[in-house]
Amino acid sequence: MSSFATKAKVVFVLGGPGAGKGTQCSRIADRFRFTHLSTGDLLREEGSREGSQYGTMIEEHMRNGKIVPVEVTCSLLEKAMKSSGNSMFLIDGFPRNQDNLDGWNRRMSPKVDMQFVLFFDCTEEVCVKRCLKRGLNGSGRIDDNLETLKKRIQTYNKHSLPIIQYFQGTGQMKTIDAGPDADQVFAQVESTF
Ligand code: UDP
Ligand code: MG
């Protein structure tokens, strides 16, 4: 997004922890011309960046499954969009609460064309299994452990589901059954693009 002359196209990608957002987004980015921006990864990067004034705050939030204030997340997103050189973005894991949505609408929605919201629908049981497996396989994430996972799921149910319901109501949502294996899920994803 070198300038805002032509509006950037944005797809929000939502779903529970471990629903497969990251896996599917990198496949979408390979296949179609989107840049994949994982808000979790952007926050992890900022959180471990030497000299970041937000490092401790971000880590604290992640460890407790809490959602980082939107000003921080939105700044990171805008910076990443500008430096990407692209104008098509998959925004993975955002917005996950009302604060996120309001902040985005204030700051970014006039500058972008929202395409749709891709929702990876998955049972809690499968989500938990995948995150724990990811933790055991050495994801290195401070939040892929059972204790934090419980908190992430609580946050998801309490704060993120209402946002997903909101998008469902506006008719902007495309729902994918995220239960099957990655290839089968991607087959569904492809047909929505
Ligand atoms: N997070 C946040 N705001 C965001 C995205 C992520 O605060 O917009 C934090 C939050 O603490 C979350 C953690 O980062 O639990 C991990 O998010 P990620 O999207 O990486 O997890 P996933 O849902 O992919 O398992
Ligand atoms: Mg992710």
Side-chain angles (χ1 to χ4, degrees):
M1 193 172 60
S2 45
S3 81
F4 286 114
T6 47
K7 281 191 173 184
K9 290 184 168 44
V10 165
V11 173
F12 285 147
V13 182
L14 299 176
K21 304 181 292 292
T23 305
Q24 295 296 326
C25 280
S26 47
R27 292 193 181 200
I28 299 165
D30 284 346
R31 174 88 167 64
F32 306 97
R33 272 188 232 134
F34 283 87
T35 294
H36 172 207
L37 299 177
S38 160
T39 47
D41 288 349
L42 289 172
L43 286 166
R44 270 183 285 278
E45 210 175 282
E46 177 65 19
S48 60
R49 187 173 64 81
E50 186 143 1
S52 167
Q53 58 174 314
Y54 303 118
T56 317
M57 182 276 283
I58 290 172
E59 282 212 353
E60 196 76 1
H61 276 73
M62 285 193 161
R63 200 181 298 279
N64 291 304
K66 292 226 166 74
I67 298 163
V68 171
V70 69
E71 288 72 22
V72 174
T73 314
C74 233
S75 298
L76 294 172
L77 278 172
E78 191 171 12
K79 203 163 70 181
M81 288 166 81
K82 282 189 169 147
S83 64
S84 70
N86 197 355
S87 62
M88 290 165 68
F89 302 96
L90 300 165
I91 300 194
D92 160 8
F94 179 94
R96 34 203 327 142
N97 65 4
Q98 192 64 46
D99 171 63
N100 278 183
L101 182 59
D102 292 343
W104 171 272
N105 283 337
R106 275 194 305 270
R107 176 169 177 166
M108 295 302 286
S109 70
K111 304 177 186 174
V112 304
D113 272 335
M114 266 300 297
Q115 304 295 290
F116 55 88
V117 178
L118 199 59
F119 171 49
F120 288 101
D121 195 7
C122 195
T123 64
E124 193 169 301
E125 197 192 347
V126 170
C127 283
V128 170
K129 245 188 234 162
R130 289 181 183 165
C131 286
L132 293 179
K133 191 172 157 208
R134 186 165 71 186
L136 287 176
N137 288 341
S139 71
R141 284 177 49 162
I142 57 175
D143 59 353
D144 281 340
N145 58 76
L146 193 54
E147 200 193 332
T148 302
L149 201 48
K150 281 183 188 155
K151 295 179 184 167
R152 288 163 67 192
I153 286 167
Q154 275 175 12
T155 299
Y156 174 73
N157 287 331
K158 189 161 174 212
H159 299 285
S160 306
L161 275 183
I163 302 302
I164 287 159
Q165 280 156 2
Y166 162 76
F167 283 129
Q168 193 145 38
T170 64
Q172 298 175 84
M173 205 157 86
K174 302 191 184 197
T175 300
I176 305 287
D177 174 11
D181 67 49
D183 288 341
Q184 281 171 277
V185 174
F186 190 62
Q188 298 174 63
V189 169
E190 269 187 304
S191 64
T192 72
F193 276 86

